[in-house]
Amino acid sequence: MASSSLLQRCLIFVLFGSAFAQLSDDYYAKTCPQVNSIIRDEMTNILRKEPGMGGSLVHLHFHDCGVSGCDASILLDDTPSEAGEKSAALNQNSTWGYEAIDQIKARLEKACPGVVSCADILTVAARDSVVGLGGPTWTVPLGRRDSTEPHRFMTNLLGALFIGNLETLIFSFRLKGFSTEEFVALTGSHTIGRARCTTFRKRIYEETNIDPNFAKAMQAHCPRQGKDSDRIPIDSTTPYVFDNAYFKNLMQQKGLLDIDQELYTGKGGPTDAIVANYSANQDNFFKEYASAILKFGQVGVLTGNDGEVRINCRKVNAPKA
């Protein structure tokens, strides 16, 4: 094994957290039994006003769990003494939904003060985003605790190592116990995602593995210059519906991002058959997705006396007198 591969293994172990947690379906049964109904009610209102927020919250969940585990560290604001994850290159101008989490947290603090963690809120909100937009459901075990510090250094490492590299992404997920089928299913979250013009401009103007009519249609939203921060749906067919249209688009060379189209080459690539399966059978996609994201939401979490339950998701609690 080359030394660089060994380094990648070590970094991936740290970045994703070390173990799947022992959580509980009834963790808040006595302290906040209405937690799921409150989050579901708030998410219904949020998605009614802005359907695109569903994809943003799923994306936020992934970026939180992808760095040292699902501990709500991504929600922490920068402070004068410590830079957080929000302003790291991987997340700046690419993660949204913080205000939605604040909204849910505020209501839960009124109903059950100091009880429900921000990490649990983000995980359940991601599930309710998928369900609210027509996707599968799953039971989210609860009991996560919140990190008392951001993981800025690890966030920067993640951005440097994995962005745009399909082989490394598959490898990193495999090391944490995820099959290639699960990885591809999780990438199917892009069916409700949005992307900034600057992340796909080169693809729609310069690359050849793209349907020319699709490229032209995307160019209407993203000119060669300007509108860098404009966001458009990754799935142009059913943008705010959680379905398998994303995979159908890939088979027609209508992947918006490079990493999307890499999943299907049409030349016997490592994930071609998986994409074809999910494209042909939405039930297969839904089943694999629900199982995979349930597992993903339990990676490297804090439980017991580790961490804390933040009162404000944007900052750590003040020291007790």
Side-chain angles (χ1 to χ4, degrees):
M1 178 71 69
S3 60
S4 60
S5 295
L6 179 59
L7 176 61
Q8 281 186 338
R9 286 178 181 271
C10 293
L11 290 174
I12 290 163
F13 180 84
V14 174
L15 286 166
F16 277 82
S18 59
F20 295 100
Q22 295 298 315
L23 302 170
S24 170
D25 294 348
D26 60 355
Y27 183 80
Y28 297 111
K30 294 182 178 179
T31 56
C32 193
Q34 66 271 50
V35 57
N36 276 293
S37 62
I38 288 176
I39 297 176
R40 182 171 57 251
D41 184 53
E42 289 298 317
M43 283 306 307
T44 298
N45 293 331
I46 288 168
L47 293 176
R48 185 182 297 119
K49 294 177 181 177
E50 186 181 354
M53 186 55 67
S56 295
L57 288 171
V58 173
H59 182 73
L60 193 62
H61 175 54
F62 271 82
H63 277 231
D64 180 47
C65 297
V67 179
S68 298
C70 310
D71 60 4
S73 57
I74 196 171
L75 303 179
L76 291 169
D77 286 340
D78 290 359
T79 68
S81 61
E82 187 171 28
E85 298 172 31
K86 291 180 182 179
S87 58
L90 179 66
N91 295 323
Q92 192 171 37
N93 300 318
S94 70
T95 53
W96 299 270
Y98 301 104
E99 293 79 8
I101 298 300
D102 291 341
Q103 176 181 326
I104 298 169
K105 178 64 170 174
R107 183 168 168 189
L108 282 167
E109 281 300 304
K110 290 182 180 179
C112 318
V115 172
V116 182
S117 71
C118 302
D120 276 343
I121 292 171
L122 180 53
T123 304
V124 176
R127 189 272 312 276
D128 289 351
S129 294
V130 171
V131 175
L133 295 175
T137 189
W138 60 96
T139 299
V140 176
L142 302 171
R144 296 163 189 79
R145 303 266 289 178
D146 299 325
S147 172
T148 56
E149 60 183 1
H151 311 299
R152 173 75 174 225
F153 178 70
M154 296 303 173
T155 303
N156 288 334
L157 280 180
L158 185 69
L161 282 173
F162 304 139
I163 293 301
N165 189 323
L166 178 62
E167 182 180 350
T168 304
L169 283 168
I170 292 174
F171 173 69
S172 68
F173 273 77
R174 186 178 300 131
L175 284 181
K176 297 311 302 175
F178 292 87
S179 67
T180 304
E181 288 79 7
E182 289 175 317
F183 166 76
V184 176
L186 290 172
T187 308
S189 297
H190 284 185
T191 190
I192 55 171
R194 293 177 288 183
R196 290 185 303 140
C197 184
T198 187
T199 63
F200 60 84
R201 178 181 282 121
K202 181 179 179 181
R203 171 161 170 73
I204 63 175
Y205 282 101
E206 300 180 17
E207 297 183 5
T208 57
N209 64 334
I210 186 170
D211 178 87
N213 292 325
F214 173 72
K216 186 175 181 179
M218 295 303 101
Q219 290 168 10
H221 299 284
C222 179
R224 286 187 179 273
Q225 294 183 337
K227 296 188 175 182
D228 286 0
S229 296
D230 282 13
R231 290 180 286 166
I232 68 170
I234 296 174
D235 172 6
S236 60
T237 306
T238 53
Y240 301 125
V241 177
F242 195 100
D243 56 17
N244 67 339
Y246 166 79
F247 296 108
K248 294 180 179 180
N249 291 341
L250 298 186
M251 296 189 69
Q252 300 172 33
Q253 292 195 317
K254 294 179 180 180
L256 185 62
L257 302 174
D258 284 324
I259 191 65
D260 294 323
Q261 198 57 60
E262 281 186 58
L263 291 173
Y264 187 81
T265 65
K267 301 176 182 178
T271 55
D272 279 13
I274 302 170
V275 170
N277 177 23
Y278 295 159
S279 172
N281 193 318
Q282 182 167 278
D283 288 342
N284 287 351
F285 166 46
F286 278 13
K287 181 179 180 180
E288 195 73 68
Y289 183 87
S291 174
I293 197 170
L294 169 63
K295 185 162 67 171
F296 190 74
Q298 299 179 65
V299 171
V301 306
L302 303 173
T303 58
N305 293 322
D306 293 332
E308 64 180 13
V309 174
R310 284 186 224 135
I311 304 303
N312 180 336
C313 291
R314 293 175 177 265
K315 61 183 181 180
V316 298
N317 296 338
K320 293 182 178 179

